[in-house]
Amino acid sequence: MRYNLYIKQAWQLMRQERFFSAVYIISTGLAISMVMVLSISFYLKLANLYPENNRDRTLSLKMAMVKNKKGGISSAAISLPFIQTCVADIPDIEAMAITYRENLIDYLQPIGTQEQIEIVMKPVNTDFWTVYPFRFLAGKPFSKADEESAIRATVITEGIAKRLFGEADKAIGQEIFIGFKSYQVRGVVQGASALLSSTYAQVYVPFSLYKEEMRTYFDPTQTLGYFNAMLLVKEKGKVNDVKQQVIENVRRYGQIYPDYEISLLGQPDKHWQSVFRRLVNTEPDYVQEIARYVVFYLIFLLIPAVSLSGMADSRMERRMEELGIRRSFGASRSEIFRQVISENLLFTFLGSLVGLLLSWVIFYFTRDWITDFIMNEGSINALPDNVELEIPFSFLFNWGIMAITLGVCLILNLLSALAPAWKYARRPIVESLIIK
């Protein structure tokens, strides 16, 4: 009940001091919007998002480095023999997605027209659909037999299906031509956002179609090749165990080739680690990377908090007589402290709503920079002109983002109101009642 009274008093203060309230709320909104832009960026990079719903129990192994002890270093994606020897038989792995090292750009030729549709194509194995649970709108994935026999089967996205056949259901069993080669459509999925480089494509085909790449290796150890492996661990608690098992398997594998030193550069990566991996020949300094963003957060929070604290202090100075009268009628210091904190929380909360809306506006106008930041751990290389890097509505309007906003709101409220509340709650009653 007391907190309801505090909130009512805060509303009355807002009506009495409209200019101050507007400036305080707008200032809070500007501060929170900067924090929110950075927070939303990290949320999109780290949270479980469709179809990458298993990020929290996925390990990625995308590259390796081989050093010839007599001289020379090579680094690239990894080969199938290396994957099958060092990873495939680990019991705690539920499924292992194997993909070509990068998406391919090709052309789709609709039957009966001269049109050439530029598309993004991803070669994958059948476990890809287990690691990344796409929503199938029609049909099903190509089978293990299709993969083993290198059958030209394909799964396409809803957008491509509607463009070619009008409806997803009508696409199943149809023949399409990609690069003037015939493929049969086995399934239609709800597409992934182009922001998600591990899963985004418009057409998915069996990776076994690229036999030449399977037989080509960059080094005598057969470590380097053309593929990436994403490991879905059965339980989150087993992620570290699987990571150590892969490292141990690679150590044993390296003993076969005493003239070479094989390094995974700290891989396989947990998903959050892959966010900071940018170079193929260097292990990220996670402490330095995280510290850099912590500094950003502190700057975005502390600088406005100091300014807002000054504004709150000025407002409290004007209300000293009121607080002194409350103290003289028996209000305790803790009650005064809670009142100030609660009132300031209302201002900060309203500012947070303004900041959240403003952050979405900033996101819209700076989306090119934001998408570059989000995608820096992966590569889509180039995208066709018909593909826009949009942030889906569902990614921004969800409970995770709301929780971030509430957390930032509470932190900023404490940083800006704690000192003034403590100062004036402890001031002697006599000083508070002195009319200036």
Side-chain angles (χ1 to χ4, degrees):
M1 293 294 296
R2 287 181 178 177
Y3 287 105
N4 290 336
L5 178 62
Y6 297 156
I7 298 300
K8 290 179 180 178
Q9 290 175 337
W11 277 114
Q12 290 297 323
L13 285 171
M14 289 178 61
R15 295 177 62 183
Q16 295 171 10
E17 302 179 343
R18 294 181 180 179
F19 178 75
F20 171 87
S21 300
V23 171
Y24 193 96
I25 290 172
I26 292 173
S27 300
T28 302
L30 290 172
I32 286 181
S33 67
M34 294 297 100
V35 178
M36 287 305 300
V37 168
L38 191 58
S39 297
I40 292 173
S41 299
F42 271 106
Y43 179 83
L44 296 180
K45 289 167 73 71
L46 297 173
N48 290 335
L49 302 172
Y50 172 86
E52 298 181 14
N53 304 98
N54 298 316
R55 284 175 165 179
D56 55 351
R57 58 188 183 102
T58 301
L59 292 168
S60 61
L61 182 54
K62 296 184 176 181
M63 63 197 70
M65 184 170 68
V66 177
K67 180 180 180 181
N68 188 331
K69 295 180 180 179
K70 298 179 181 179
I73 298 177
S74 299
S75 57
I78 53 180
S79 71
L80 282 177
F82 181 77
I83 294 172
Q84 292 163 350
T85 301
C86 297
V87 182
D89 295 328
I90 296 177
D92 287 320
I93 294 178
E94 178 180 334
M96 178 173 62
I98 299 176
T99 65
Y100 194 64
R101 63 181 179 182
E102 60 190 25
N103 287 346
L104 305 177
I105 304 297
D106 211 327
Y107 288 88
L108 187 151
Q109 296 85 30
I111 297 175
T113 72
Q114 299 296 319
E115 187 179 9
Q116 298 274 339
I117 302 175
E118 192 176 9
I119 58 166
V120 178
M121 185 165 65
K122 182 183 287 291
V124 303
N125 68 339
T126 52
D127 271 6
F128 176 84
W129 309 107
T130 301
V131 177
Y132 302 111
F134 277 77
R135 189 173 299 115
F136 274 79
L137 306 177
K140 58 185 180 180
F142 43 78
S143 66
K144 189 67 174 178
D146 293 331
E147 176 188 313
E148 293 174 349
S149 302
I151 300 296
R152 294 194 180 279
T154 182
V155 172
I156 62 177
T157 60
E158 181 182 12
I160 294 295
K162 287 183 176 180
R163 183 168 182 176
L164 296 180
F165 307 106
E167 297 179 10
D169 290 339
K170 294 181 179 179
I172 304 304
Q174 296 286 348
E175 183 181 36
I176 62 174
F177 286 84
I178 302 173
F180 300 101
K181 297 176 181 178
S182 174
Y183 291 78
Q184 186 182 60
V185 178
R186 297 292 174 82
V188 177
V189 295
Q190 177 183 329
S193 168
L195 295 174
L196 308 180
S197 57
S198 294
T199 51
Y200 173 75
Q202 294 167 298
V203 175
Y204 302 85
V205 299
F207 78 129
S208 54
L209 294 174
Y210 295 84
K211 295 179 180 178
E212 185 62 32
E213 283 81 354
M214 289 183 178
R215 292 194 296 265
T216 304
Y217 314 113
F218 294 153
D219 69 287
T221 70
Q222 298 188 10
T223 298
L224 306 180
Y226 291 83
F227 297 95
N228 298 327
M230 276 62 70
L231 319 178
L232 180 62
V233 182
K234 292 179 180 178
E235 302 174 13
K236 284 194 289 187
K238 297 288 187 178
V239 169
N240 287 328
D241 294 340
V242 172
K243 181 181 175 78
Q244 291 304 316
Q245 183 63 61
V246 173
I247 293 172
E248 176 61 21
N249 288 352
V250 173
R251 185 190 67 80
R252 293 176 181 174
Y253 183 83
Q255 292 177 344
I256 303 173
Y257 305 96
D259 294 333
Y260 296 85
E261 181 180 332
I262 300 172
S263 172
L264 295 182
L265 303 168
Q267 296 175 98
D269 288 330
K270 298 177 183 178
H271 179 75
W272 73 265
Q273 292 174 318
S274 69
V275 167
F276 299 104
R277 187 176 293 277
R278 299 180 180 88
L279 302 176
V280 299
N281 58 355
T282 304
E283 182 177 357
D285 185 339
Y286 298 113
V287 174
Q288 181 178 346
E289 292 281 356
I290 293 173
R292 181 163 54 124
Y293 290 109
V294 169
V295 170
F296 287 160
Y297 271 104
L298 290 177
I299 291 174
F300 287 150
L301 280 174
L302 290 179
I303 292 180
V306 171
S307 176
L308 294 174
S309 181
M311 295 177 65
D313 186 86
S314 175
R315 179 166 61 91
M316 296 304 301
E317 187 69 34
R318 295 195 300 271
R319 297 178 59 202
M320 280 309 304
E321 292 80 7
E322 172 202 336
L323 298 178
I325 292 173
R326 288 203 61 204
R327 289 288 309 283
S328 66
F329 276 88
S332 65
R333 290 176 175 176
S334 62
E335 287 179 315
I336 297 298
F337 183 83
R338 288 195 298 270
Q339 177 185 349
V340 175
I341 292 293
S342 299
E343 291 174 355
N344 197 74
L345 180 60
L346 176 62
F347 284 93
T348 311
F349 178 74
L350 294 175
S352 296
L353 296 181
V354 173
L356 184 60
L357 294 174
L358 185 58
S359 67
W360 287 330
V361 172
I362 294 174
F363 237 89
Y364 177 80
F365 286 105
T366 63
R367 58 187 180 276
D368 291 339
W369 177 83
I370 295 295
T371 50
D372 285 344
F373 171 73
I374 292 172
M375 293 168 57
N376 65 9
E377 85 284 1
S379 174
I380 295 183
N381 292 343
L383 290 175
D385 293 336
N386 62 350
V387 176
E388 295 184 6
L389 285 173
E390 295 182 350
I391 299 174
F393 183 86
S394 60
F395 283 11
L396 295 179
F397 291 83
N398 57 66
W399 290 112
I401 298 299
M402 300 304 172
I404 293 174
T405 307
L406 180 60
V408 174
C409 168
L410 292 174
I411 293 172
L412 192 60
N413 174 60
L414 290 175
L415 290 175
S416 60
L418 202 57
W422 180 261
K423 173 182 176 182
Y424 289 101
R426 293 179 60 83
R427 178 171 287 190
I429 296 176
V430 174
E431 290 186 22
S432 300
L433 291 174
I434 295 176
I435 305 299
K436 297 183 180 179

